[in-house]
Each structure stands twice: as C-alpha cells, then as structure tokens.
Amino acid sequence: MGVSVSSRRKIPAAALIRLPMYLRLLGEVTVQGMTHISSDQLAELAAVNAAKVRKDLSYLGSYGVRGVGYEVAFLSYQIQRELGVNREWPIVIVGAGNLGQALANYGGFVERGFGLVGVFDTDPEKVGSEVGGICVQHLDELSEVVQTRNVSIGVLATPAATAQEAVNRLVRAGVGSILNFVPSVLSVPRGVHISKVDLAGELQILSYYEQQKANSLSHIQATTTSSRAVSA
Amino acid sequence: MGVSVSSRRKIPAAALIRLPMYLRLLGEVTVQGMTHISSDQLAELAAVNAAKVRKDLSYLGSYGVRGVGYEVAFLSYQIQRELGVNREWPIVIVGAGNLGQALANYGGFVERGFGLVGVFDTDPEKVGSEVGGICVQHLDELSEVVQTRNVSIGVLATPAATAQEAVNRLVRAGVGSILNFVPSVLSVPRGVHISKVDLAGELQILSYYEQQKANSLSHIQATTTSSRAVSA
DNA sequence: CAATGTGAATATATTCACAGCT
DNA sequence: AGCTGTGAATATATTCACATTG
C-alpha cells in the first residue's frame, strides 16, 4: 500500500512549535467559511511575519498555489499529518496532586485528540479516588496500562522529589515522550523526548519585564532609537 | 541610597528563560551545603553546555571568581535581583474554569513569591465560590483589586471566546504582563508583555516526535523508491 | 593552575526580496 | 496580477577555545 511517507524532512524546532498554532487558526477560519488563505492572512492571524509562515509551511512541502494561497482544508490535513495528530493519542498522567488533577480535568487535551487513559500516584490517599473521570491507580499499574493501551506520551506532575523515579518508570513502561510540569531537570535515555513547562518560571520571566519597566521609569526619557542596519 | 541599578543590560530572551532554572538549582545546592559552584557543575545540573552557563551569567555581571567559580548565595541573590523576584509579586487569575481553578490551587506560584490576590470570572455560578482559598469575584471587580493590590501580573485562563476581552480588561486595569493559557493569539498594546503556554500544543509537538519514531521503524526497506510521490 | 569571561567560529532562526508559477 | 517558495542577508544563539586572572 502506498506508504505515503508522512515526513522525511526534519522540521526545525523553531518552526515546529508554530505548527499547532497555525493548525488551530486554520480550524477557526474553516468555521468562518474560508476555503483559502494566503500567507499574509495567516501571518496576520498568527501575529508573525508572512515570510516566516511561508518558510514554516515549506518544511511540510509545497502545498500552496502561487497567486492564490493555501487551501485551508488541505493545509490543515497536511499539518495534522505532519504533527501526527490525525489520530488519537492516549496519554497518562503521573502525579495526582493539585496540578495532576487539574490537568486530568482540563478539557483542552481531549478536545485535541489526547485522551486520558490513566492517572497514577503512589499516595494511598489518592489511589482509588476519581479524577478527570478516571480512577487514580497506583504507579505500580503504570506499566500494564501503558502497554495494553499503547501509550507513548506521558504527563509528569509529581512532586520534585519523586519526579526522576516517575520518569524512570514511564520510560521503562515504554513511554517515548514526556511533558514535564515538574520544575526539575530530569534525565531520560537517548531517544526519549522530554519537554518542560515551568509555570512559576514563566511568571519569573514576566516579573523581570515588569521590573525593567519599573526601573526605566526613573529614566523618564524614552529615546526610541529606530536604528536600522542599512546596508550600503 | 544609590539607585543601585539592578539592570542596565538587556538580557537576551534565550538566556533569560534559563535564569529561573539556574536560580532553582542554586537553591538546591544551597540546601546541600555547597557554598561555591563552577560553571561546569552548574551546567551538569542544568544539563546544558558550561560555556552557555558562563555566557548567560555574564549578562548579569562578572560575579564569578577565576579559578574558583561562583559563590552560590551571591549568585542566587544577583539572579533574583535581575529577575525581580527578590520581592513578592501579587497576581490575579482571570477565568475560574478547570484550568483557572487548578492554577489557583497550584502551590508552585506562592512558593516562588507569586501570591494570588484575586480570581475573576463572569459566570454567576462561579462568582462567590471559593477557589484556591480565595473568593471568586466578578470580572467587574478586577480593576479595583488590581489597583488597590498593585497587581502587575495577570494569568489568563478563560474560554477562548472571551479571552481578548479579558486581556483588554486586564490591560485597562493596569496589568503590565500576562501569562496566557488560552490557545488564542491575543493582542496587547505596546509595552504590555504577554507570554503563552499552549498545553495541548505541547502534546502535539510530542506527538510529532512519536510519529517520527514510528515512521523510522517502517524505514527498514524502501531504498528503491526515489522518495516523495505527490506532484500532479 | 583552575575556572571565568569573552572574542571568534559555528549553527540556527528570521526576514528580505524577488524569481517563477498560476 | 498576485502569491508562493526560496536563496541571500541579517539577526540571534550556541559552542569553541584561550587569554586572563585571582
């Protein structure tokens, strides 16, 4: 059967992180009845440069039509295929504390094709309780669920102290990618992907900007130097 | 009384996002009794290149000692000062749905100096209920709380449909930085910072990697086919 | 002499600008 | 005519490698 290679090319990380946004925007314009969209229009919606949109999309292939733009439905499909989201991905959450429970209840995952098939914890208080419509299981059950439900993506939301052990278990169980909400640096074997979301860290970055503004108030004068590197 | 400029230099974004991690790691090694640390050691803990650590830290100033390393307490203090986290930052959360409630209950914010002083929603069902130890207020109250409590950072967790309006209100109320959990592209006036966390988007990126792995397993044969089909 | 701080080298990302299609 | 796709130019980030220094 036509194996129809979904992707030979490797998409640069910087472009990859924008694909989910494009995909979402395409969904919105579809609802609005648009059948075609230009890079300029999509760029405007995404609040990025149009050349960036075109270059990002060019990593998927040449799916645009010169003089016309991109067909929304076709482009959506191609992005979905590239991201691998043209199927359901079962996920598990490890850690049923505040954040884990929150994530389990968060509708945004299911909505985009990530169905929760297990929530795990080691705390006997939590095991057996229901979270996100699912009965919290003991971490010892992780491996079985991962294997029977064919889970390759795990979400980590344990306390920092037990995070590495939880990662080890996820990896041993067969999970290949982990979304880590624990503010710790965790190690995984080669071939396993781990991406991090540091919620408090995000706020710390914002406080940097706020502080900068506060500081520059003492400057009063805002010299907007519009220096353009003009080439001779 | 010298104004003791906390920061004249502007730290590159790529370096800035690592400062919270360094700060956290320095806290950990402090607990372990270390008083000094080299860029090699910190790099190992952070799982990054040592030159990167030194360059990142160099944006703060020359706080290391050649042949010795960095004094942990002093470096921590400097990073805190640079990030502006050597003080409490009151925050508000707009949107008391699943995610908003979760974030309100998330201990990680307070732990790092971001005290929740208000949770807002427009849904009469939610207004009046208690979330994260705080009574949910109507969005109309936002402005007063922001002003009286001197809030400059807001967290956005509304439904997508009302997100832009919520942003407008935050900005009008005087909030200068927004952490956006809503998967929409939102616009803010110049001078206001908005940073985005797209939870489902993160999973979509992971599914890309998982799919890549799956594809490369089926590689095995197919050396005869030139490659991409397609083309009319 | 061990480790920083930093220029220089390299790698990656963004943007420009336009040739080439439809 | 209008828009894509992409080389070339620019900007930003990472890494190397070493002179410098306590």
Side-chain angles (χ1 to χ4, degrees):
Chain A
M1 302 341 170
V3 172
S4 103
V5 174
S6 94
S7 61
R8 181 102 321 147
R9 316 159 260 280
K10 208 189 86 220
I11 299 180
L16 184 61
I17 63 174
R18 286 184 294 267
L19 294 184
M21 172 176 58
Y22 298 146
L23 181 57
R24 196 172 33 70
L25 293 169
L26 291 171
E28 288 175 15
V29 302
T30 299
V31 170
Q32 286 160 32
M34 283 178 74
T35 61
H36 291 80
I37 193 167
S38 68
S39 60
D40 273 334
Q41 292 173 304
L42 186 49
E44 159 113 42
L45 294 174
V48 300
N49 183 293
K52 184 185 277 182
V53 169
R54 291 197 298 277
K55 188 144 283 191
D56 286 348
L57 297 182
S58 77
Y59 296 121
L60 310 180
S62 289
Y63 298 139
V65 179
R66 287 161 204 249
V68 176
Y70 302 85
E71 196 194 324
V72 175
F74 185 67
L75 183 57
S76 284
Y77 171 73
Q78 293 300 339
I79 296 177
Q80 280 178 287
R81 203 171 58 118
E82 193 68 36
L83 288 176
V85 296
N86 52 350
R87 50 160 284 198
E88 272 276 325
W89 289 93
I91 63 171
V92 291
I93 294 177
V94 177
N98 269 329
L99 193 56
Q101 289 179 36
L103 294 170
N105 283 301
Y106 178 55
F109 290 152
V110 167
E111 208 173 272
R112 296 217 236 162
F114 298 92
L116 182 62
V117 301
V119 179
F120 300 87
D121 206 303
T122 50
D123 182 352
E125 286 274 305
K126 298 198 180 99
V127 174
S129 65
E130 194 185 302
V131 164
I134 286 208
C135 178
V136 177
Q137 293 175 268
H138 192 276
L139 194 49
D140 292 341
E141 315 286 334
L142 177 69
S143 195
E144 200 201 314
V145 172
V146 165
Q147 270 150 47
T148 62
R149 307 294 299 261
N150 228 294
V151 175
S152 43
I153 297 176
V155 174
L156 190 72
T158 64
T162 55
Q164 183 63 60
E165 169 60 13
V167 165
N168 297 346
R169 292 225 201 184
L170 279 163
V171 171
R172 252 186 281 127
V175 163
S177 287
I178 297 171
L179 180 54
N180 172 31
F181 285 90
V182 184
S184 298
V185 179
L186 302 169
S187 59
V188 292
R190 281 208 118 273
V192 174
H193 266 272
I194 185 161
S195 72
K196 187 168 131 185
V197 176
D198 179 358
L199 299 176
E202 296 287 338
L203 289 184
Q204 293 183 319
I205 292 164
L206 292 183
S207 80
Y208 167 79
Y209 289 118
E210 284 305 301
Q211 196 211 209
Q212 293 280 98
K213 286 183 219 167
N215 285 345
S216 60
L217 287 190
S218 46
H219 254 225
I220 297 174
Q221 188 82 359
T223 23
T224 20
T225 37
S226 66
S227 61
R228 301 189 113 246
V230 181
S231 52
Chain B
M1 302 52 164
V3 173
S4 101
V5 175
S6 92
S7 58
R8 179 106 318 150
R9 314 157 260 276
K10 209 189 85 219
I11 299 179
L16 184 60
I17 62 176
R18 287 185 291 268
L19 294 184
M21 170 176 60
Y22 298 146
L23 181 57
R24 196 173 32 69
L25 293 170
L26 291 172
E28 286 175 15
V29 303
T30 299
V31 170
Q32 286 160 33
M34 282 179 73
T35 61
H36 291 80
I37 193 167
S38 69
S39 60
D40 273 334
Q41 293 173 304
L42 187 49
E44 160 112 43
L45 295 175
V48 300
N49 182 293
K52 184 184 277 184
V53 170
R54 291 197 298 278
K55 187 144 284 194
D56 287 347
L57 297 182
S58 77
Y59 296 120
L60 310 181
S62 290
Y63 298 139
V65 179
R66 285 162 206 250
V68 176
Y70 303 85
E71 196 193 326
V72 175
F74 185 67
L75 183 57
S76 284
Y77 171 72
Q78 292 300 340
I79 296 177
Q80 281 179 285
R81 201 171 59 120
E82 194 68 35
L83 288 176
V85 297
N86 52 349
R87 49 160 283 195
E88 272 276 325
W89 289 92
I91 63 171
V92 291
I93 296 178
V94 177
N98 270 329
L99 193 55
Q101 288 178 37
L103 295 169
N105 283 300
Y106 179 55
F109 290 152
V110 167
E111 209 173 89
R112 296 217 235 161
F114 298 93
L116 181 63
V117 301
V119 179
F120 300 88
D121 207 301
T122 51
D123 182 352
E125 285 275 304
K126 295 193 182 106
V127 174
S129 67
E130 193 185 303
V131 165
I134 285 209
C135 179
V136 177
Q137 292 175 267
H138 192 278
L139 193 50
D140 292 340
E141 314 286 334
L142 176 69
S143 194
E144 200 201 313
V145 172
V146 165
Q147 271 150 47
T148 62
R149 307 296 298 263
N150 228 293
V151 175
S152 43
I153 297 175
V155 174
L156 190 72
T158 65
T162 56
Q164 182 63 60
E165 169 60 14
V167 166
N168 298 346
R169 292 223 201 185
L170 279 164
V171 171
R172 253 186 282 127
V175 163
S177 287
I178 297 171
L179 181 54
N180 172 31
F181 285 91
V182 183
S184 299
V185 179
L186 302 169
S187 60
V188 291
R190 281 209 116 274
V192 174
H193 266 271
I194 184 160
S195 72
K196 188 169 130 183
V197 176
D198 180 358
L199 298 175
E202 296 287 337
L203 289 184
Q204 293 183 320
I205 292 165
L206 292 182
S207 80
Y208 167 80
Y209 289 118
E210 284 306 301
Q211 195 210 212
Q212 292 280 98
K213 286 183 219 168
N215 284 346
S216 58
L217 289 188
S218 60
H219 200 242
I220 300 180
Q221 56 175 101
T223 321
T224 34
T225 41
S226 188
S227 66
R228 34 228 246 69
V230 187
S231 170

